[in-house]
Amino acid sequence: MPARWLRRAEPVASPVARRIIRLNNGFQLLFNLLWWMPVFYAYQRDAGLSDNQIFGIQSIYYIAFCLFEIPTGVIADRIGARNCLRAGAVVMTAANMAPVLAPSYTGFLVHFLAIAAGRSLTSGAASAYLYDGLRAEGAEAHYLRAEGTARSLGLAAKVVCWPLVGPLMALAAPTPYVLSAAGAAGSLACALALPRLAPRGADSGPGARGRRGGSLLRDTGAALRALRVSPWLPLLMVQGVAVFTLSRICQVNLFQPVLLDHGIGESTHGGVLAAMTVAEAIASARPQWLSRRLAPAQWVSLLSVALAVVLAGTALGGPWLVVALLCAFAAITGFVYPVQRKLINDAIPADAPRATLLSVESIVDRGVCALAAVAAGAYLAAGRLDALLWQSAAVTCVLIPVLHLALRRTGRAAPRAKAGAAARPAPAEADEPVPLPVDECVAPHP
């Protein structure tokens, strides 16, 4: 391991870096604090929507998210990640008010389409801004902890706020949507306060003009070239599909069916969800608990298999075991997410359009998730929940080791390829992902 990874971390010295971390924490907390999440199904039913209409809107949402991700990542690299975060916050504020102004099928459809647009505007831009901002200030060693802390704070806020939704709705039914809009407006304030970053390529040589002088087509082409140049990047994106799909399907689509299948009534679902969120929040804030004896890519592969095994285990045992397994599932998700984020960002070449490539990853994740949601619905309609859980575990346990072997082979081939290309100029390429550094593991909270 290079010596620079062995040094213990110093506190974040740059005031700008500390400001970026604080504002990113605030943005992620407020932007993702959707008060309506625990009650949107019942709210739409009370508004007169049928189950077919409700789940039809969800299907449209997934498809729209994938379609919106195609241009929004390129837009972020063109106008800057900070401006894209501001635009996303504006769209999200309006989206949360749509059900209040029009509590109908059309209003909820507009609501979820706008949610897809707002989230797609920020999905790649937020991570890209944080990574580039900290690197510009020489604080890139704190990225992993900053990413995990922001996610942890957002989850903790949900634990505090979601139990209040019921009493607030008793006072005024639209309150969850109004509070969500207020939170999105607060995230806009955080985005407006973010410092400006120097354009990429500004110091790349005489006459460099940065990437923003090119066209949208040129930026898209640069993203595709980066996927070809960096051998790690496409494989790491595919590796992250298992994490995103398993966590999303479990925590959104299968959470209530699994509990109901084991006789756990709806009155306790909120408490179980709160316990899962606490477990995920603690794990997200503590990636340093993962041993440095394994490389990040190894941890992602191992934890992906663990997610599948734990999810399959919910088909066994009684109610208490199921709740414990769901909390374990949430904790594993909390550990793996920031590590996967860092792997992807490290694998992106320095001069590549980062937000565009992160949007490509999001498209892959949500495309697979949409297919998995359709399959999950078919299994549930046929009363085959246990078969779905076991088969999902089997597929994951077969594919992840195969993918990990491909990553190892790529890692061995990379040094030989670099040696062969040493005598000729080549485009900038990302380094092979390195083990979790000591300084990231002890980076203090900002």
Side-chain angles (χ1 to χ4, degrees):
M1 190 184 301
R4 66 188 181 93
W5 294 112
L6 295 175
R7 295 195 300 268
R8 292 186 65 84
E10 298 293 334
V12 183
S14 167
V16 175
R18 292 198 298 270
R19 182 183 176 192
I20 289 173
I21 292 174
R22 288 196 299 268
L23 289 173
N24 178 70
N25 289 343
F27 180 88
Q28 296 290 353
L29 189 156
L30 295 170
F31 186 87
N32 295 302
L33 185 56
L34 303 178
W35 291 73
W36 49 262
M37 182 66 73
V39 296
F40 77 94
Y41 174 80
Y43 192 91
Q44 292 179 73
R45 288 292 300 271
D46 292 341
L49 274 68
S50 66
D51 284 347
N52 287 336
Q53 289 176 317
I54 294 172
F55 287 102
I57 291 175
Q58 290 298 300
S59 299
I60 294 172
Y61 166 78
Y62 277 118
I63 296 171
F65 206 125
C66 291
L67 294 177
F68 287 144
E69 283 284 4
I70 296 172
T72 52
V74 179
I75 291 172
D77 284 310
R78 291 282 296 165
I79 69 174
R82 183 180 65 159
N83 290 330
C84 212
L85 295 178
R86 294 171 176 177
V90 171
V91 173
M92 185 66 77
T93 303
N96 286 318
M97 288 302 297
V100 179
L101 301 176
S104 62
Y105 176 83
T106 301
F108 287 111
L109 178 60
V110 171
H111 164 68
F112 275 101
L113 287 175
I115 291 288
R119 293 182 70 87
S120 64
L121 281 167
T122 62
S123 63
S127 184
Y129 179 89
L130 178 63
Y131 191 87
D132 286 338
L134 293 182
R135 186 172 61 179
E137 295 298 318
E140 63 269 23
H142 297 268
Y143 169 79
L144 178 63
R145 185 63 174 270
E147 187 82 65
T149 299
R151 182 174 175 82
S152 176
L153 290 174
L155 293 168
K158 293 174 182 178
V159 173
V160 174
C161 295
W162 279 351
L164 304 176
V165 171
L168 289 172
M169 286 188 70
L171 298 176
T175 301
Y177 289 93
V178 174
L179 290 175
S180 298
S187 72
L188 175 60
C190 293
L192 290 172
L194 287 171
R196 182 189 299 273
L197 300 182
R200 287 192 313 277
D203 58 353
S204 58
R209 305 176 69 89
R211 300 193 57 84
R212 294 180 188 172
S215 64
L216 291 175
L217 185 60
R218 179 181 176 182
D219 283 339
T220 303
L224 295 176
R225 286 193 299 274
L227 290 173
R228 185 180 68 252
V229 168
S230 178
W232 278 91
L233 188 52
L235 289 174
L236 291 174
M237 287 182 176
V238 176
Q239 184 188 45
V241 168
V243 173
F244 183 88
T245 303
L246 287 171
S247 62
R248 183 74 178 178
I249 292 299
C250 173
Q251 295 174 328
V252 175
N253 299 93
L254 297 182
F255 167 71
Q256 288 187 321
V258 167
L259 294 180
L260 292 173
D261 189 61
H262 288 81
I264 302 175
E266 293 182 0
S267 61
T268 62
H269 289 188
V272 175
L273 184 59
M276 292 174 60
T277 307
V278 169
E280 185 175 354
I282 293 173
S284 293
R286 295 294 182 269
Q288 69 270 24
W289 288 353
L290 298 176
S291 171
R292 294 188 301 275
R293 295 180 181 179
L294 296 181
Q298 293 173 319
W299 271 119
V300 173
S301 295
L302 180 62
L303 293 176
S304 297
V305 173
L307 283 173
V309 173
V310 170
L311 185 58
T314 59
L316 306 173
W320 287 107
L321 177 59
V322 169
V323 172
L325 289 173
L326 288 175
C327 290
F329 183 96
I332 296 171
T333 301
F335 278 129
V336 72
Y337 181 82
V339 177
Q340 173 66 15
R341 290 282 82 197
K342 182 184 184 302
L343 273 173
I344 294 294
N345 274 293
D346 283 348
I348 295 176
D351 62 344
R354 185 174 302 277
T356 302
L357 288 166
L358 291 174
S359 289
V360 170
E361 182 203 17
S362 183
I363 292 171
V364 174
D365 287 344
R366 284 170 173 82
V368 174
C369 190
L371 295 176
V374 172
Y379 272 87
L380 289 174
R384 302 181 60 202
L385 176 60
D386 288 357
L388 171 64
L389 298 177
W390 286 110
Q391 290 176 18
S392 299
V395 170
T396 303
C397 291
V398 169
L399 292 182
I400 288 297
V402 171
L403 179 61
H404 191 76
L405 289 176
L407 282 167
R408 288 176 59 86
R409 179 173 296 181
T410 303
R412 289 194 296 266
R416 293 196 297 269
K418 289 180 180 179
R424 61 180 184 275
E429 182 174 338
D431 294 330
E432 175 183 339
V434 296
L436 290 174
V438 174
D439 53 358
E440 283 183 350
C441 296
V442 297
H445 289 285

